[in-house]
Amino acid sequence: MTTTPRYSIRLSRRAFLGATAAGAGLISQPLGARAAPAATGSAIAFDGDSLILAKDTLSRRDGDGGWIELPAPAAGGILSLATHPGRAGRIAAGLTSGGMALSEDGGRRWEARSQGLPDAPVTAVTVAAAEPDTIYAAIRGDGLWKSEDAGRSWALAMDRPWLADAERDLTALASVDLATGMGGIWIYAGTELGITRVPDCFCRWQDVQPGDAMDALASGKPAPSEAPLPEGETINGLASAASLPTRLYAALPSGIWESQDAGVVWSQISGTGALAVAVHPTNADHVVAVTGDGLVQSRDGGANWTAPIPA
């Protein structure tokens, strides 16, 4: 079996990057009001028991009710979404036109949070598992950026991973609440060629392997993975189960994949290509994915799938 690609050290190469995304202010529209299309990509996130879906438009589904269309952020359509179980109603959105928007009321109003970010699409976003005000954003053509004040200011955290003789854009992000052995937790990232991760001290990108970050630095060369994700396949989405951090889900063109050991061993739980994936904040077995045909859902960790959620 082939192994996942190696990722080499690629520290920040910039002393200053001063592009500022345009736009500020609030949108206030009645729930259900028509808005400009909110997505050209696909993104999904749980806000408590509710689902937030960006696919053509932005919608919210509370419990067993129907979908309610939400107003789009003023700055543009949505490429990525992130929430945190400790901040009900807060939704971070990465925008196609560049920059970030934040809602504190479940998507009913949006505020621009782009000060200091490069003016480029935000392909992925995640909220730090242990720090709800810390947000990470992946910028197309750039790197991984960090805000410690809920998006009011930003700083470059890490350049993109170096893979196959080029820097590769990040296509998915997940903050995973597992110790790195270096005093912090992990940021997992998808690329067009597979999965990687970095400790939140941002020392270096690393392959996913058994042990902690110090073990990886000492070994210098990761052991062959027993059951990696398919080599060379784009990671469209990543989700970490807040209630069981060793459980990860990945959305790939080849299907939906699950790991029960923090990404060392993966198994395919659906052969339907997926564009995005989300896991319930208190139930690691409840996973929802966006496919080309709509939403699919499993309440038993992917053993069985149903499609009761018309989008």
Side-chain angles (χ1 to χ4, degrees):
M1 181 174 289
T2 56
T3 61
T4 50
R6 292 289 312 279
Y7 293 85
S8 60
I9 299 174
R10 192 71 173 174
L11 299 179
S12 176
R13 65 191 185 280
R14 283 155 290 195
F16 177 77
L17 184 56
T20 301
L26 295 171
I27 298 175
S28 181
Q29 291 180 278
L31 219 66
R34 289 297 296 178
T40 55
S42 297
I44 193 166
F46 275 97
D47 179 21
D49 292 326
S50 300
L51 279 171
I52 308 297
L53 173 66
K55 190 175 186 294
D56 301 323
T57 59
L58 183 66
S59 304
R60 181 184 180 95
R61 185 177 190 264
D62 296 317
D64 296 325
W67 290 96
I68 299 173
E69 189 172 340
L70 297 172
I78 294 172
L79 273 179
S80 50
L81 291 169
T83 57
H84 191 283
R87 291 290 188 274
R90 176 181 286 179
I91 304 165
L95 305 180
T96 59
S97 58
M100 287 279 306
L102 195 79
S103 174
E104 298 281 9
D105 59 5
R108 295 163 180 83
R109 296 187 303 165
W110 294 92
E111 181 179 352
R113 294 287 174 91
S114 303
Q115 184 69 31
L117 278 177
D119 189 13
V122 177
T123 56
V125 61
T126 191
V127 181
E131 301 174 12
D133 287 338
T134 297
I135 303 174
Y136 298 98
I139 310 299
R140 181 175 295 165
D142 194 87
L144 181 64
W145 287 68
K146 177 181 180 180
S147 172
E148 295 180 326
D149 53 11
R152 292 178 177 84
S153 62
W154 293 88
L156 180 69
M158 193 76 172
D159 283 346
R160 296 173 295 168
W162 186 262
L163 177 62
D165 298 323
E167 281 191 340
R168 304 293 174 173
D169 278 330
L170 303 179
T171 57
L173 288 173
S175 176
V176 180
D177 195 11
L178 293 171
T180 65
M182 301 180 73
I185 62 174
W186 291 102
I187 305 296
Y188 281 61
T191 74
E192 62 184 332
L193 294 178
I195 192 169
T196 184
R197 64 182 181 178
V198 65
D200 61 7
C201 63
F202 302 106
C203 58
R204 58 167 283 182
W205 292 103
Q206 297 184 1
D207 293 298
V208 180
Q209 63 184 96
D212 60 27
M214 289 301 295
D215 293 337
L217 288 173
S219 69
K221 182 178 181 181
S225 181
E226 178 182 340
L229 288 169
E231 186 175 3
E233 196 169 342
T234 300
I235 312 298
N236 292 325
L238 283 173
S240 170
S243 60
L244 186 62
T246 54
R247 180 80 62 85
L248 300 176
Y249 294 96
L252 277 70
S254 61
I256 304 165
W257 294 72
E258 178 194 53
S259 173
Q260 298 189 22
D261 62 357
V264 177
V265 174
W266 291 88
S267 59
Q268 188 178 32
I269 55 176
S270 171
T272 302
L275 304 171
V277 65
V279 58
H280 192 280
T282 62
N283 182 356
D285 290 331
H286 185 184
V287 58
V288 178
V290 182
T291 73
D293 296 325
L295 298 187
V296 295
Q297 176 175 247
S298 175
R299 293 183 179 271
D300 55 13
N304 297 281
W305 293 90
T306 58
I309 312 174

